[in-house]
Amino acid sequence: VTLHRATALILLALGRGHVYGFEIMDATGLASGSVYPALRRLERLGWVESRWQASDPEGRGPGRPTRRVYALTRAGEARVEEARARLTALEGAARDLLAPERPR
Amino acid sequence: MSDTSGTRAHGRARRALRRWSHLVPVGRRARWLREWEAELDAHFGAPAEWDDDTVREVRRRVRGAAADAVRLTSEEGWMRTGAVLEWVRGSWLRAAGSWTRRPGSFAVAVGTLALGIASTAVLFSVADHVLLRPFGFRDEARLVALQGRRLDTGETSLTVSYPNTRDLAERAGSLAGAVALSGWSPAIEPPGGPPVVVTGVTVSWDYFDLLGVEPSLGRGFVASDEGEGRSPVAIVTHALFERVLGGDPGVVGTTVPVNGVSYQIVGVLPASWRDHRLYTDAGAAPEIFRTPWQDPWAWPRSGRFWRGLARLAPGASLASADAEVEAIMAALADAYPEENRGTTVDLVELRAPVVGPARTSVLVLLAAVGLVLAVSVLNAAHLVLQRTVDRQADWRLRRALGASAGRILGDLLAEGMVLAGAAGVVGVALAHAGLGAVRALAAASLPGAEELALDPRVLVAVAGVVLGVSVVLGLAPALRLARGGATMGADLRSAGAVGGRGGVRRALLVGQVAAATVLLVGAGLVVRSLGELDTVDLGIQTSGVVLADLHGLGMFDRSPDEGVATYRAMFDRLRALEGVEAVGAADIVPLVDNFSCDGTTPLDRPPPPPGEGQCAQVRSITPGLLEALGVPLLAGRALEWSDDAEAAGAMLVSKLTAERFWPGVDALGKSALVHGDTFTVVGIVGDVRATGPAAASTGHLYLPSPQEPWNGPARGLGVVVRARPGAPPSAAAIRDAIRSVDPREPVISVRPLESLRADRIAAFRLRGALMQAFAGLALTLAAVGLAGAVGLSVRRRRREFGVRLALGARAPQLTRQALAEAGRWVGVGVALGMAVALPAMAAARSLLFGVEPWDPAVLVVTPLALAGVVLLAAWLPARRAGATDPMISLRPE
């Protein structure tokens, strides 16, 4: 499976302990329209699992909707290093491409 | 301010999410919305505290929600296809399995449907062949046929005169061309072989140009091929080229003797050329074409024995061209009053000559077969509904175990499709066999019948029927089921009872009986018509009479005197055969052919105004013919051999002709101008229905063949031989006798007149056979349907019957009761059928003969017979009502 930039970013965000969809958006800067499809893809691959939050950790009262929590599976954790390498490579490529612009 | 703007943004965002959620597939919608709402509420803190940046960010994310919902739709769509496939496969397996557990009802349902599908496919093929199949000519929508019409009587005929046709071609701006064609009976003498008699046509030189057909070998006809002094040229079909001319392209350009004249073969038509019967009523497809040997205007303008075809000019409509033709014909009537007064020409659809007579009967048969299909579908639906009743427990169980209504509906549809698919396969096989039978039956009455075949479009039509039927079969029980809802079981049980709430099933049964009634009435009237046709007196004797059809080739190079001597010698040989009583000949023997009447004017009385002349069929006959045919001599004398070329012109007229030509006076001794010569009436004879029993006599006028050589042997000769009853000479003996006088003379056929009479009503018989087959089918299906319904009703009510038997009811009483209920349905069905049948038959009156649509015999016998058969079928299961074991009422269900 090829790790796209978005997928790699999401894997790293999950590895850092960001567990909600909107948190992952904040952490990665990705748009909501790409985060959720990518999460579903990762779930189908078996790298991510999700569940409905059992209780409200912030002590909010009843009636609050429960949030969906995403977490890396063991297979997903095994891919985090690969994602890091992929992003580093992408970053290097981006730096090179951006270089001529710098003197300005 | 930020306070209110934050809450407002929050509300907007939630509404947007709800809106977008409708894009999400139903199965995931709730979860999707829940997650988004939870994130929206939890992530950004209390909406009241949202600042402008937060509001912008919320807006951005909610826009993303829309994109996500759309993505989800397509992801789900993919998964859904897979699931549907799984589900369909499961349904089909279950459907097939459920049918194999009930082979009996499966076989009955498949058989029922297959019969309906087969009869539909057969009739579709026939209808398509007759009414719809294109001829394959270039731009054929622009081609029209010419039809002659008498202004006084409105009588139409498909024959016109050649000079008028050519005048129309030249004067009518709305016609791009007009051609004429007429029959020709050529005997080809290929090198080294015996003469081959084929069907031929004489056509205007531009005939093939008008149709847009080009020979595949050699050339087409050109203007100089037609007219005075032309050298004889012919174009042959590919089949004739292969069969008779050896298939050698070198034959193009060479000459072949045809009827004793050397014809140059200038062209061969492509193998794809098909016979379209545009030109002749001949039984066989024309295979050789020649051009007329004199100029178009040299033919008699009154000689209306040509078929005419025309092509509409670009931009002209049929109506505008027809109006122009009518105006030109009026001008031609003024210019040639003797020949044209009182007649005109109409433009009609090209197909009219071919299908005119067949159209009504094909449409009626289509309606009939539609009824058969309807009955068979009703019956199959009924069988499936019965299973619905039987399987209610099964479904209740599955519903209880969590099967969705959709899944059960899918299973029902799959069962319907398995059933209809199997019926489609069996039906197509049956149709294939049925078409073979129709080909054989229709050979004499349907042009091109030998080409009848199931073509792909018919199969597509069958597939459509199968699809429709399977939906009906699947939905019928599903509707029941859906209506049943929670109390499904109870509802279905009562549906099974006679007189219960089984409205749908009762309607199906009544419909079946009604359709069968309509068909039986139709079949009854057609059969009565056939009976009437068989009793019609043709005015000739047909039994024991044989017709030998001579081509006339042997006569071509003889003088008229030698010709007469030759056939007198033949008659002597024939009379010498064992059992032969009388022998004679005519140019056109009754029942063989008919020609338009023309060119006869009675003398001895004021001449009628032009165009209102009397009409009689002119025949050229030898002495002995009328005796051989058994036509009675009513007054005067018969024709003698002494009425020869040297003697004064003598003729016989039939009673009708005598009354028409010389009303109120004795025709004997009166004279008439026929084909330009004067003939005097020497005898009056009986009238003959020359075109068969279905059409009245048109009146005949008989000239002695020796005084009419042009019309005599040169166009062939029908030799009629009458033998003593029980001792007809064999066809071989007749051929030998003829050949012993002239070995070169081809004898085209030797046939009993009975078979000619039968051919003349072949269309009636074909219709009769099909109607009987359809009516029989519908009756059988209705009987099966009713028997099944009564059987089911008895089974459903066995508890009740058991109780009543236990309480002292007698068995025959219960049987009668079960039957009486069935009788009510049948009564309603028959009444409904009769109400439809009467107006339907009145509309199709032209297909009947000698029978009124409200024929009392048919109206009384048909319903009684139908009710009898159907109730007999119902009686068998009804007996079981009385045979119920009373113990059953004690057992738990």
Side-chain angles (χ1 to χ4, degrees):
Chain A
V1 186
T2 323
L3 283 178
H4 297 292
R5 182 171 160 275
T7 317
L9 285 171
I10 290 170
L11 282 175
L12 288 186
L14 286 165
R16 289 276 173 93
H18 299 291
V19 296
Y20 303 120
F22 273 32
E23 274 185 16
I24 294 167
M25 286 171 213
D26 286 346
T28 59
L30 292 169
S32 55
S34 17
V35 167
Y36 282 116
L39 281 173
R40 284 197 295 273
R41 193 167 98 92
L42 288 170
E43 276 203 82
R44 281 202 297 277
L45 285 170
W47 298 356
V48 168
E49 59 189 8
S50 69
R51 59 188 164 79
W52 295 102
Q53 206 163 39
S55 58
D56 190 343
E58 287 168 34
R60 279 192 268 238
R64 283 272 174 205
T66 52
R67 300 180 79 175
R68 197 162 180 83
V69 180
Y70 295 87
L72 288 174
T73 61
R74 195 155 292 181
E77 278 168 10
R79 297 288 177 152
V80 171
E81 274 318 302
E82 194 184 325
R84 202 188 303 280
R86 179 89 185 131
L87 280 175
T88 312
L90 282 172
E91 208 179 329
R95 236 192 335 264
D96 288 349
L97 285 171
L98 292 169
E101 302 281 324
R102 280 203 177 159
R104 267 197 227 166
Chain B
M1 185 193 107
S2 69
D3 192 311
T4 45
S5 76
T7 35
R8 261 191 275 125
H10 180 255
R12 270 201 307 273
R14 287 193 73 121
R15 281 195 299 278
L17 285 174
R18 268 182 199 283
R19 200 160 57 238
W20 299 133
S21 76
H22 291 295
L23 291 176
V24 178
V26 181
R28 306 191 58 161
R29 189 175 297 161
R31 269 178 293 155
W32 181 87
L33 190 60
R34 184 158 139 217
E35 176 169 2
W36 273 93
E37 283 180 349
E39 292 301 308
L40 189 67
D41 286 0
H43 189 73
F44 296 107
E49 289 152 32
W50 288 0
D51 58 16
D52 288 352
D53 282 346
T54 311
V55 169
R56 262 197 299 279
E57 180 61 22
V58 165
R59 235 184 257 150
R60 201 168 67 88
R61 291 201 180 174
V62 169
R63 271 201 303 276
D68 187 43
V70 170
R71 277 288 289 272
L72 206 50
T73 311
S74 59
E75 285 172 26
E76 271 288 295
W78 239 106
M79 289 164 64
R80 208 155 37 179
T81 310
V84 164
L85 283 178
E86 272 302 300
W87 175 59
V88 163
R89 219 175 50 192
S91 294
W92 276 76
L93 285 178
R94 271 196 301 280
S98 108
W99 281 123
T100 54
R101 284 195 299 277
R102 294 166 181 81
S105 63
F106 184 67
V108 172
V110 165
T112 289
L113 271 181
L115 287 174
I117 287 171
S119 25
T120 311
V122 167
L123 250 288
F124 259 116
S125 301
V126 173
D128 173 67
H129 181 86
V130 174
L131 303 179
L132 305 171
R133 190 181 55 152
F135 292 108
F137 300 132
R138 171 172 54 80
D139 203 6
E140 70 182 48
R142 309 295 292 165
L143 290 173
V144 292
L146 305 185
Q147 176 177 274
R149 174 160 54 89
R150 278 177 68 115
L151 291 173
D152 52 353
T153 61
E155 199 181 323
T156 61
S157 77
L158 285 160
T159 49
V160 292
S161 92
Y162 196 6
N164 287 342
T165 305
R166 270 311 189 196
D167 279 332
L168 287 177
E170 290 194 356
R171 297 192 199 177
S174 49
L175 296 183
V179 296
L181 32 149
S182 108
W184 176 35
S185 174
I188 305 171
E189 294 179 272
V196 181
V197 178
V198 297
T199 304
V201 194
T202 305
V203 299
S204 308
W205 70 268
D206 46 351
Y207 174 65
F208 291 111
D209 295 344
L210 187 95
L211 296 183
V213 174
E214 277 182 29
S216 59
L217 276 177
R219 64 171 176 89
F221 292 133
V222 294
S224 60
D225 285 333
E226 175 171 350
E228 205 68 51
R230 64 106 160 99
S231 54
V233 289
I235 289 178
V236 297
T237 62
H238 195 263
L240 183 84
F241 167 70
E242 295 275 335
R243 194 178 78 240
V244 177
L245 303 178
D248 172 14
V251 86
V252 174
T254 64
T255 62
V256 173
V258 182
N259 289 357
V261 174
S262 280
Y263 275 80
Q264 188 186 16
I265 306 296
V266 295
V268 177
L269 292 176
S272 60
W273 166 268
R274 284 184 306 163
D275 165 38
H276 303 291
R277 307 289 166 98
L278 290 177
Y279 13 74
T280 171
D281 298 320
E287 295 189 284
I288 183 165
F289 303 82
R290 67 167 171 180
T291 46
W293 58 93
Q294 50 183 9
D295 292 337
W297 288 276
W299 297 93
R301 208 170 269 274
S302 60
R304 295 189 175 81
F305 55 88
W306 299 82
R307 286 277 168 95
L309 295 182
R311 182 178 281 281
L312 298 179
S317 71
L318 182 64
S320 69
D322 189 52
E324 189 185 10
V325 163
E326 185 137 12
I328 295 171
M329 283 310 296
L332 286 174
D334 287 342
Y336 308 96
E338 288 290 323
E339 298 93 339
N340 280 348
R341 178 73 54 83
T343 66
T344 188
V345 166
D346 297 325
L347 299 183
V348 296
E349 203 193 330
L350 181 63
R351 211 174 280 276
V354 189
V355 307
R359 184 191 293 270
T360 322
S361 74
V362 167
L363 289 179
V364 164
L365 288 173
L366 268 185
V369 82
L371 281 178
V372 170
L373 183 67
V375 170
S376 71
V377 171
L378 292 180
N379 207 339
H382 188 228
L383 283 166
V384 171
L385 266 183
Q386 287 186 15
R387 297 194 49 214
T388 312
V389 175
D390 287 345
R391 292 161 71 203
Q392 47 175 298
D394 183 19
W395 282 325
R396 259 185 304 184
L397 186 65
R398 280 184 61 194
R399 255 320 253 213
L401 291 178
S404 69
R407 170 153 307 204
I408 291 181
L409 176 68
D411 282 4
L412 288 171
L413 279 176
E415 283 182 15
M417 277 160 96
V418 167
L419 183 64
V425 171
V426 177
V428 167
L430 281 178
H432 191 73
L435 264 186
V438 171
R439 264 199 299 276
L441 264 171
S445 60
L446 191 66
E450 63 282 352
E451 288 173 33
L452 265 179
L454 279 182
D455 76 84
R457 281 169 308 140
V458 171
L459 294 180
V460 168
V462 167
V465 168
V466 166
L467 204 67
V469 166
S470 57
V471 170
V472 168
L473 292 187
L475 286 184
L479 284 177
R480 273 240 73 89
L481 207 58
R483 207 140 50 92
T487 60
M488 185 172 72
D491 186 54
L492 283 177
R493 199 169 25 243
S494 66
V498 177
R501 282 158 56 204
V504 173
R505 300 195 19 247
R506 210 162 36 202
L508 290 181
L509 278 172
V510 167
Q512 278 185 25
V513 172
T517 306
V518 173
L519 284 173
L520 269 186
V521 168
L525 289 174
V526 171
V527 168
R528 286 269 288 123
S529 297
L530 279 171
E532 290 294 315
L533 283 170
D534 277 340
T535 63
V536 167
D537 181 10
L538 295 181
I540 59 171
Q541 181 189 336
T542 52
S543 83
V545 181
V546 173
L547 169 71
D549 200 5
L550 269 56
H551 175 264
L553 177 66
M555 310 291 174
F556 283 113
D557 38 17
R558 294 194 169 96
S559 69
D561 286 348
E562 287 169 347
V564 170
T566 305
Y567 52 73
R568 282 191 76 167
M570 284 178 186
F571 295 172
D572 288 341
R573 292 288 175 94
L574 288 168
R575 245 190 310 268
L577 291 176
E578 177 65 30
V580 171
E581 287 182 334
V583 178
D587 57 345
I588 303 161
V589 172
L591 298 177
V592 171
D593 211 340
N594 207 24
F595 269 74
S596 75
C597 44
D598 58 73
T600 51
T601 316
L603 302 173
D604 316 331
R605 66 167 189 142
E612 288 167 31
Q614 294 296 337
C615 170
Q617 303 274 329
V618 180
R619 297 286 181 269
S620 171
I621 65 169
T622 70
L625 176 85
L626 297 181
E627 291 82 344
L629 285 174
V631 177
L633 180 67
L634 304 175
R637 65 167 176 89
L639 294 179
E640 309 287 349
W641 286 108
S642 57
D643 295 314
D644 58 13
E646 276 77 46
M651 67 175 170
L652 303 177
V653 291
S654 74
K655 197 157 158 276
L656 195 61
T657 308
E659 285 162 6
R660 278 201 197 141
F661 277 38
W662 296 281
V665 297
D666 186 3
L668 271 183
K670 297 285 189 293
S671 300
L673 206 56
V674 185
H675 296 160
D677 290 319
T678 305
F679 293 85
T680 303
V681 177
V682 298
I684 298 173
V685 297
D687 283 304
V688 170
R689 291 183 180 235
T691 53
S697 172
T698 44
H700 282 80
L701 195 154
Y702 302 98
L703 307 181
S705 189
Q707 294 182 344
E708 250 270 315
W710 185 84
N711 243 4
R715 54 160 35 167
L717 200 64
V719 178
V720 175
V721 178
R722 194 180 80 205
R724 267 199 312 275
S730 71
I734 290 174
R735 283 176 190 273
D736 285 347
I738 291 165
R739 234 178 254 133
S740 69
V741 175
D742 185 352
R744 186 163 159 244
E745 177 61 51
V747 180
I748 300 168
S749 64
V750 178
R751 287 175 293 174
L753 275 195
E754 285 292 349
S755 78
L756 290 174
R757 181 188 171 121
D759 281 356
R760 280 289 168 180
I761 54 169
F764 273 92
R765 281 190 301 137
L766 175 63
R767 219 145 55 212
L770 287 174
M771 283 298 284
Q772 287 177 64
F774 293 158
L777 269 178
L779 179 61
T780 310
L781 295 178
V784 168
L786 190 72
V790 171
L792 181 76
S793 149
V794 168
R795 196 155 70 242
R796 288 289 131 204
R797 296 171 66 193
R798 57 182 183 239
R799 190 175 287 271
E800 175 203 330
F801 288 137
V803 171
R804 290 172 55 186
L805 277 172
L807 293 178
R810 302 252 303 278
Q813 212 178 333
L814 295 184
T815 302
R816 257 203 315 279
Q817 192 194 342
L819 206 54
E821 275 157 339
R824 273 208 297 279
W825 302 342
V826 173
V828 173
V830 167
L832 197 65
M834 296 300 274
V836 173
L838 280 179
M841 294 303 135
R845 232 192 143 126
S846 65
L847 300 184
L848 304 179
F849 179 86
V851 183
E852 295 298 329
W854 46 86
D855 183 65
V858 171
L859 292 196
V860 172
V861 172
T862 304
L864 286 182
L866 182 132
V869 169
V870 170
L871 285 178
L872 184 68
W875 176 70
L876 298 172
R879 265 187 328 171
R880 287 212 305 267
T884 310
D885 178 4
M887 277 303 287
I888 197 149
S889 55
L890 300 178
R891 289 194 201 110
E893 195 171 350

